[in-house]
Amino acid sequence: MTSKRPRIGIIGTGAIGGFYGVMLARAGFDVHFLLRTEFDAVNANGIRIDSAVHGPLQMAVQAYASVADMPPCDWLLVGAKATSNAELASVIAQAAAADGKVVLLQNGLGVEEQLRPLLPTNLHLLGGLCYICVNREAPGVIRHQALGAVNLGYHSGPTGDAAARQTITQEGAELFRAAGIDSQAMSDLACARWQKLVWNVPYNGLSVLLRASTTPLMADSHSRTLIQALMAEVVEGARACGHEMPPGYAEQLFAGTEKMSDYWPSMYYDFTHNRPLELEGIYAEPLARARATGCNLPRMEALYQALAFIDRRNQQAAQ
């Protein structure tokens, strides 16, 4: 990385964007936060993070209500939900510097493929996988319970050279590490996204379907069995698509969840706030890719269909 520190923009200053943006700003980076409904609160009071890992953090930030007021940013961290990617494309294009690097801190498969055709060809697109327990409690107030690592992988951009792409990915990982956040540069983004689905598929979906957080889900023998079966199906789907998981990977995630403090996954908060659920990337796209290889995942399919019904009802009620 060069001696000149890059300018970083945060698109979607919710729990994810707010947390990582504050950590980078605290480390001395020039960070700019784009907000919509929470601009007044954050502009007046800054962002507060109640972190079980780093302690209480309160910081005044460079906040903007309009992307037109932001300076061009070398790196853009997109913390907004994948359900709004089509709307975000023009915002990203305006906020990015020439040769800018855009990191999607989003869940699911296909999010980069969805956004790529909508972006200028001069921008580099990377995927970011966040392993963190964090949620927004109020405007400008974020609760961080555990974890925090971010792993990055290069998706597409103006350079086709594998070594150059890995160098860019490594530069991004170094930004996070400079802020005290564990981060690794991954050579296979698609495989890493399947790996994250092993946790996201069961816990996100079941939190909405069963109205239960991680502790009660792990305490009941029936839900435990269902979680393990769903995890096994995701591993099966990944393998069918050519992505092998490390030995014992699902078992490790299951055991780790059992040890962590009680947590409501992000999909539950989307449901309770009448926001669209991230069903496309977490369920529909993985199911379609597995099905294209002749691999059917019946439990995951049933969970997806139930969530789609809940999501439609929820959106109708909100209108």
Side-chain angles (χ1 to χ4, degrees):
M1 208 160 42
T2 63
S3 58
K4 179 180 178 294
R5 289 206 159 185
R7 181 183 290 140
I8 301 171
I10 308 297
I11 307 297
T13 307
I16 292 290
F19 174 80
Y20 289 115
V22 165
M23 293 297 290
L24 288 161
R26 188 180 72 152
F29 288 100
D30 182 20
V31 185
H32 301 260
F33 296 78
L34 182 65
L35 301 107
R36 289 186 294 182
T37 58
E38 298 189 9
F39 170 76
D40 290 337
V42 171
N43 192 47
N45 305 312
I47 296 176
R48 189 181 91 215
I49 300 176
D50 298 323
S51 175
V53 178
H54 305 284
L57 306 173
Q58 178 81 38
M59 177 172 285
V61 300
Q62 300 179 93
Y64 303 85
S66 171
V67 66
D69 297 328
M70 288 180 66
C73 296
D74 305 297
W75 286 83
L76 287 176
L77 307 184
V78 181
K81 297 288 185 179
T83 51
S84 61
N85 276 355
E87 305 164 14
L88 289 174
S90 62
V91 174
I92 292 170
Q94 291 180 70
D99 197 43
K101 289 81 175 175
V102 180
V103 182
L104 295 188
L105 302 177
Q106 297 176 338
N107 289 321
L109 291 183
V111 291
E112 292 87 10
E113 289 85 346
Q114 176 193 36
L115 186 60
R116 177 74 265 181
L118 306 176
L119 295 180
T121 57
N122 64 298
L123 299 183
H124 303 270
L125 184 60
L126 296 86
L129 291 93
C130 306
Y131 297 89
I132 187 170
C133 296
V134 65
N135 65 275
R136 170 194 166 281
E137 293 205 316
V141 180
I142 298 165
R143 182 187 180 207
H144 173 220
Q145 291 180 241
L147 307 176
V150 182
N151 292 336
L152 304 182
Y154 194 97
H155 179 267
S156 57
T159 177
D161 180 71
R165 291 182 170 203
Q166 192 64 12
T167 296
I168 290 171
T169 308
Q170 186 63 46
E171 288 177 357
E174 288 176 10
L175 294 179
F176 287 104
R177 288 198 291 266
I181 296 165
D182 181 31
S183 184
Q184 303 298 321
M186 304 171 298
S187 59
D188 190 341
L189 176 61
C191 183
R193 286 211 170 276
W194 272 103
Q195 288 178 356
K196 195 171 183 202
L197 287 172
V198 176
W199 196 94
N200 276 335
V201 164
Y203 291 103
N204 269 289
L206 292 178
S207 73
V208 174
L209 186 64
L210 303 180
R211 310 294 196 271
S213 53
T214 55
T215 295
L217 285 173
M218 296 301 287
D220 183 85
S221 61
H222 295 90
S223 53
R224 284 172 66 89
T225 299
L226 181 54
I227 289 167
Q228 289 174 312
L230 285 164
M231 284 183 161
E233 281 198 352
V234 177
V235 171
E236 180 185 356
R239 184 178 296 116
C241 294
H243 305 294
E244 283 292 337
M245 301 286 172
Y249 182 76
E251 291 80 3
Q252 179 184 352
L253 290 183
F254 187 82
T257 306
E258 197 159 36
K259 294 175 183 177
M260 75 184 198
S261 59
D262 191 32
Y263 178 64
W264 286 98
S266 61
M267 189 172 285
Y268 181 79
Y269 286 101
D270 288 339
F271 167 71
T272 57
H273 288 87
N274 299 115
R275 296 188 291 257
L277 304 183
E278 294 181 289
L279 301 184
E280 181 64 29
I282 297 179
Y283 298 96
E285 185 65 21
L287 283 165
R289 294 190 186 189
R291 195 181 304 115
T293 71
C295 175
N296 293 313
L297 309 173
R299 293 178 182 84
M300 185 173 168
E301 181 73 46
L303 179 56
Y304 167 55
Q305 297 297 341
L307 291 170
F309 174 83
I310 291 171
D311 189 39
R312 283 192 297 271
R313 290 284 295 272
N314 208 30
Q315 293 307 302
Q316 290 169 0
Q319 291 176 356

